Amino acid sequence: MTENAKPTYAAAGVDIEAGDRAVELIKSHAKRATRPEVRGGLGGFAGLFELGKYNNPILAAGSDGVGTKLAVAQAMDKHDTIGIDLVAMCVDDLVVCGAEPLFLQDYIAVGKVYPEKVADIVGGIAEGCVQAGCALLGGETAEHPGVMEEGDYDVSATAVGVVEADELLGPDKVREGDAIIAMDSSGLHSNGYSLARHVLLDTLKLPLDGYMEELGRTLGEELLEPTRIYAQDCLALAAECEVSTFCHVTGGGLAGNLERVIPEGLVADVQRSTWTPGQIFRTIASLGKVELAEMEKTFNMGVGMIAVVSQKDKDRALAMLTARHLEAWELGEVRAAEDSDNARVVMHGEHPNF
C-alpha cells in the first residue's frame, strides 16, 4: 500500500467480487438440490422450509465435517466430491433414529475465494443432497485471510430431519433375538484419515498419483472415494420392515458405534467371519503393520451402516437392500447379556483373507 492509499477490504485480503461470482456459480447447483417444501430463493438471510403436516413431529439435527480427508482433496486439487462426504456424515446420522433428512446448510471457510473451487465444493454438496433426498437450503462462504493459507479451506454442515414420534427408532426398541445386518461401505468414508495419511503418505511416502495394482486405481482416487449415503435405503427399510434402530459406523469403528444403540442387559454378537474388509483396509494394515485392534477402532472396516431388525424380517430386509443394489449381510445377533460379558458388543472370530 502506498503512503497515500486508503485501506480497503480487498487490500486486507477479502475479495467481495470473487465472493459474488462464487454465489453466481453456486446457484445452478442449489437449484438441483431442492424439495417442494422449500420457500424463497437463494440469497435471503434465512432459508425457509415448510414443515408440512405431521401428527406429532420430532425434529432431528446433526452437524459434522469431513476431517483430514480435506488434506487429500487439497493435495490432489480435486474438490468436487468432498461435498458428498459432508452430506453423508450429517444425513446418515439423522436416519439412525428414523428421521427423514429435510434440508442441509453448509459453511465453507476459505483462505481466499477462488469461485470455481467453491463451486466445485458446493456442486458435491448438491449431489450429496440429491442422493439423500434433502434440500440444500443455504449456507455461508467466509474468506479468512491471515488466518488460513490462500489454498486452504474447511467445510461443515448442519442437516435437519423429521420423524413421527411413534416411528422414532433407538436403543429402547432393540430386543433379544434381533438380527444385525451390515451394509457395505464404499471405502474409508470420512474417518481415520489421520492414521491413513500417517501410514501411507508420511511414513511410506506413497504418491497420491501412483497407480496401485491391488486397488485398481491410484492411491489418491481410492482415498477420495466418496462416503456412501444410506439415508434413502434406511428409510425404505424402516417403511417395510420392523427396524429397531440403525447404527452409522463412523469414528470409533464398528464396535464403538454399535455400543451406542445396544441397551443395558443386551449384547451384540458380531461375527468377523461374515465379511472380508475391502482392499484399502488390508493395504493399510499390511503395509503399515497396523494391528487389528487399532484398525477396528479407527476405521469402518467395510461396514458403513448397520440395521438392527426383528428376526422375522431379516430375510426381507436383506432382499430389499440387495434390490437397491447395496451389498448387505447378516453380521450377527442381539442376545441377553451374561455375567462374563464386559462390553455390549462382542467381536468373534477372524476375517477371511485379512
Side-chain angles (χ1 to χ4, degrees):
M1 186 184 296
T2 62
E3 185 176 345
N4 296 322
K6 297 194 180 295
T8 65
Y9 212 9
V14 177
D15 189 339
I16 293 177
E17 290 183 359
D20 290 342
R21 172 164 164 70
V23 171
E24 287 302 313
L25 293 174
I26 286 168
K27 284 182 178 179
S28 63
H29 296 303
K31 286 180 180 177
R32 287 184 61 222
T34 190
R35 287 174 55 120
E37 300 96 331
V38 173
R39 297 292 176 263
L42 194 67
F45 285 95
L48 304 177
F49 192 95
E50 183 180 2
L51 188 55
K53 296 180 179 179
Y54 293 86
N55 295 321
N56 191 8
I58 295 177
L59 291 178
S63 301
D64 214 332
V66 298
T68 61
K69 190 171 186 174
L70 285 173
V72 179
Q74 291 169 4
M76 294 182 65
D77 194 25
K78 179 174 170 52
H79 314 284
D80 58 348
T81 60
I82 208 74
I84 300 175
D85 296 291
L86 180 62
V87 175
M89 297 305 287
C90 294
V91 301
D92 285 342
D93 276 354
L94 295 185
V95 81
V96 165
C97 69
E100 176 189 6
L102 297 177
F103 60 83
L104 178 138
Q105 290 198 304
D106 64 76
Y107 179 84
I108 305 171
V110 299
K112 180 178 175 61
V113 171
Y114 293 102
E116 289 75 15
K117 182 188 289 188
V118 173
D120 277 350
I121 297 168
V122 176
I125 296 173
E127 172 59 26
C129 287
V130 169
Q131 291 182 25
C134 68
L136 177 55
L137 197 57
E140 173 74 7
T141 300
E143 199 168 21
H144 292 164
V147 175
M148 304 175 73
E149 296 295 325
E150 283 194 1
D152 288 347
Y153 65 90
D154 198 5
V155 296
S156 64
T158 296
V160 174
V162 64
V163 58
E164 289 280 12
D166 60 0
E167 297 173 3
L168 188 67
L169 306 179
D172 59 305
K173 298 286 184 70
V174 177
R175 297 289 181 265
E176 181 181 355
D178 278 356
I180 303 168
I181 293 176
M183 301 179 215
D184 189 35
S185 74
S186 58
L188 297 182
H189 284 184
S190 297
N191 294 104
Y193 274 77
S194 293
L195 178 57
R197 288 169 50 244
H198 173 70
V199 169
L200 301 174
L201 306 181
D202 300 339
T203 303
L204 298 174
K205 308 295 184 185
L206 298 177
L208 286 169
D209 60 356
Y211 183 85
M212 297 188 69
E213 191 71 37
E214 66 268 34
L215 298 176
R217 53 181 169 177
T218 68
L219 177 60
E221 288 170 338
E222 177 68 35
L223 293 180
L224 280 190
E225 178 67 33
T227 305
R228 178 163 283 152
I229 294 176
Y230 301 92
Q232 294 299 303
D233 302 304
C234 290
L235 291 173
L237 205 64
E240 298 293 333
C241 300
E242 188 179 326
V243 177
S244 301
T245 188
F246 294 104
C247 170
H248 188 197
V249 182
T250 56
L254 190 155
N257 285 281
L258 190 53
E259 280 183 351
R260 299 163 64 181
V261 299
I262 301 298
E264 186 175 354
L266 296 177
V267 168
D269 270 337
V270 173
Q271 306 296 332
R272 293 189 185 95
S273 61
T274 60
W275 89 102
T276 299
Q279 183 59 53
I280 184 60
F281 304 103
R282 286 175 274 165
T283 297
I284 293 171
S286 60
L287 295 184
K289 297 179 173 57
V290 183
E291 294 184 354
L292 178 62
E294 190 66 27
M295 292 290 297
E296 288 186 335
K297 73 179 184 181
T298 305
F299 302 108
N300 66 60
M301 296 297 282
V303 179
M305 181 69 77
I306 291 170
V308 182
V309 305
S310 68
Q311 193 66 224
K312 66 179 178 63
D313 277 352
K314 175 186 67 178
D315 292 340
R316 185 179 187 185
L318 288 169
M320 282 188 64
L321 293 171
T322 300
R324 296 180 68 86
H325 308 290
L326 185 58
E327 185 177 349
W329 64 96
E330 186 176 5
L331 192 63
E333 187 173 304
V334 177
R335 62 167 172 82
E338 300 172 358
D339 292 341
S340 59
D341 292 318
N342 55 16
R344 295 187 186 180
V345 177
V346 179
M347 305 280 286
H348 298 277
E350 298 180 355
H351 296 294
N353 305 314
F354 185 76

